[in-house]
Amino acid sequence: MSALRDRLRGLRAQAGLPTPAAAAPPAMRSAEELRQLLGVRVRASARSAPFPARDRALFGEEIAPGLRYTEEHAEWPEPPAPIDTRFARREDTIDPARLLHFDTETTGLAGGTGTRAFMIGAADWHGGGLRLRQLTITTMAAEPAMLRTFAHWLDPQRVLVSYNGKCYDAPLLATRYRLARLANPLAGLDHLDLLHPVRRHWKGQWENCRLATAELQLLGVLREDDLPGSEAPAAWLTYLRGGPATNLRRVAAHNAQDLKSLAGVLLRLSALGADSCAMANKDRES
């Protein structure tokens, strides 16, 4: 091997190329010099995977491999029965028991087949209060189980309530059901999207019409230590890669507050519609 090494060094010298310095111990120097003389790059050794973070505790219980379920009941005033929907330019009323407020946390905001929901939250009036339920996947393979479970919460009589859900959450879930070769349980359901009536009433008066602004203006809710929705994908991916669950728990808290705010904003809008109608009737009578 030394003869080959010397030959290569001579060829590099004739070509005017630098020759590697012989600083390593003799046992290692020959192989290292040959790699350098031949111009062979050594592939960097793969970094050893970090040990899982200690803070891996998640909420709820695992109801299927990689699928976690949590449920809580929020103290909330009983909604009026029925719900007045004239704020949404409708002429009907809705039994509160039919409402299902829902919101997703996803891996991105662009939508499309590359974006998936890793958390689905839903709230309904149950047992004299607002029931909050959340499904969270901790593995990619658990997505079909999450979709099937959410489908069991829906039936043809359900009325969906969302904030921009008609344009984002519902189409995204429809795509995930299609890719999982499952029937889409949201198809054909009645849907109240609160973003549109909020925009009609307060666009130009508020800084913007995001849910956080609506809940502040209408409900007096000011979030503290809230994880922005834009950071939710990183929180989930960090957990999947063995990182801490700290921010994923904050995502769940953010989602739960979204559900509570959906219910609160709906009740305020319903009261607004009823008050407007009462004012109109009073004006006609006078």
Side-chain angles (χ1 to χ4, degrees):
M1 181 176 287
S2 61
L4 176 60
R5 183 186 66 237
D6 293 341
R7 175 63 176 163
L8 289 170
R9 290 174 67 90
L11 291 173
R12 290 182 68 91
Q14 291 176 16
L17 298 174
T19 56
M28 300 174 56
R29 190 164 60 222
S30 296
E32 179 63 26
E33 283 190 61
L34 282 176
R35 282 194 293 266
Q36 294 187 32
L37 289 168
L38 292 170
V40 177
R41 294 184 178 180
V42 181
R43 179 179 297 177
S45 58
R47 295 181 179 177
S48 58
F51 291 103
R54 292 182 180 179
D55 183 11
R56 299 279 292 169
L58 277 180
F59 34 80
E61 61 177 320
E62 188 171 62
I63 59 174
L67 175 63
R68 302 195 69 84
Y69 170 78
T70 184
E71 178 178 326
E72 65 172 295
H73 291 257
E75 294 184 2
W76 207 268
E78 283 287 343
I83 296 289
D84 191 314
T85 64
R86 280 171 288 194
F87 69 89
R89 295 179 175 175
R90 298 166 51 132
E91 298 299 328
D92 61 338
T93 57
I94 298 175
D95 181 352
R98 296 174 56 200
L99 300 174
L100 187 77
H101 312 76
F102 82 105
D103 183 53
T104 63
E105 304 299 333
T106 67
T107 57
L109 299 177
T113 57
T115 304
R116 70 178 69 215
F118 64 84
M119 182 182 296
I120 303 177
D124 57 354
W125 302 104
H126 182 80
L130 190 66
R131 177 176 61 174
L132 308 176
R133 292 178 286 177
Q134 292 172 311
L135 297 168
T136 306
I137 56 174
T138 58
T139 66
M140 298 286 192
E143 183 184 32
M146 177 181 68
L147 296 175
R148 292 191 188 95
T149 303
F150 181 59
H152 289 320
W153 300 352
L154 301 171
D155 62 67
Q157 299 304 312
R158 281 291 191 183
V159 177
L160 301 174
V161 182
S162 71
Y163 208 85
N164 199 34
K166 281 187 176 180
C167 294
Y168 183 74
D169 302 83
L172 184 143
L173 288 175
T175 298
R176 302 317 303 177
Y177 277 104
R178 183 173 65 253
L179 292 175
R181 298 184 177 181
L182 298 171
N184 178 15
L186 291 82
L189 295 185
D190 198 358
H191 192 155
L192 286 172
D193 191 328
L194 304 186
L195 173 62
H196 306 297
V198 165
R199 278 179 174 168
R200 283 196 299 270
H201 283 92
W202 292 288
K203 184 178 181 180
Q205 300 180 44
W206 297 349
E207 179 182 0
N208 57 59
C209 291
R210 296 167 51 210
L211 180 58
T213 303
E215 68 185 11
L216 176 62
Q217 296 289 341
L218 300 178
L219 308 176
V221 173
L222 179 61
R223 302 196 190 199
E224 297 181 1
D225 193 34
D226 183 59
L227 187 75
S230 59
E231 296 183 25
W236 184 65
L237 290 172
T238 295
Y239 183 83
L240 257 60
R241 293 166 180 163
T246 310
N247 279 346
L248 189 52
R249 292 195 297 268
R250 293 175 66 196
V251 172
H254 173 95
N255 182 264
Q257 183 57 58
D258 282 351
L259 297 172
K260 296 175 186 176
S261 293
L262 273 174
V265 171
L266 172 65
L267 296 181
R268 289 299 305 272
L269 288 170
S270 178
L272 181 67
D275 291 344
S276 297
C277 183
M279 289 290 293
N281 291 335
K282 185 177 180 180
D283 291 342
R284 282 196 295 268
E285 290 173 0
S286 60

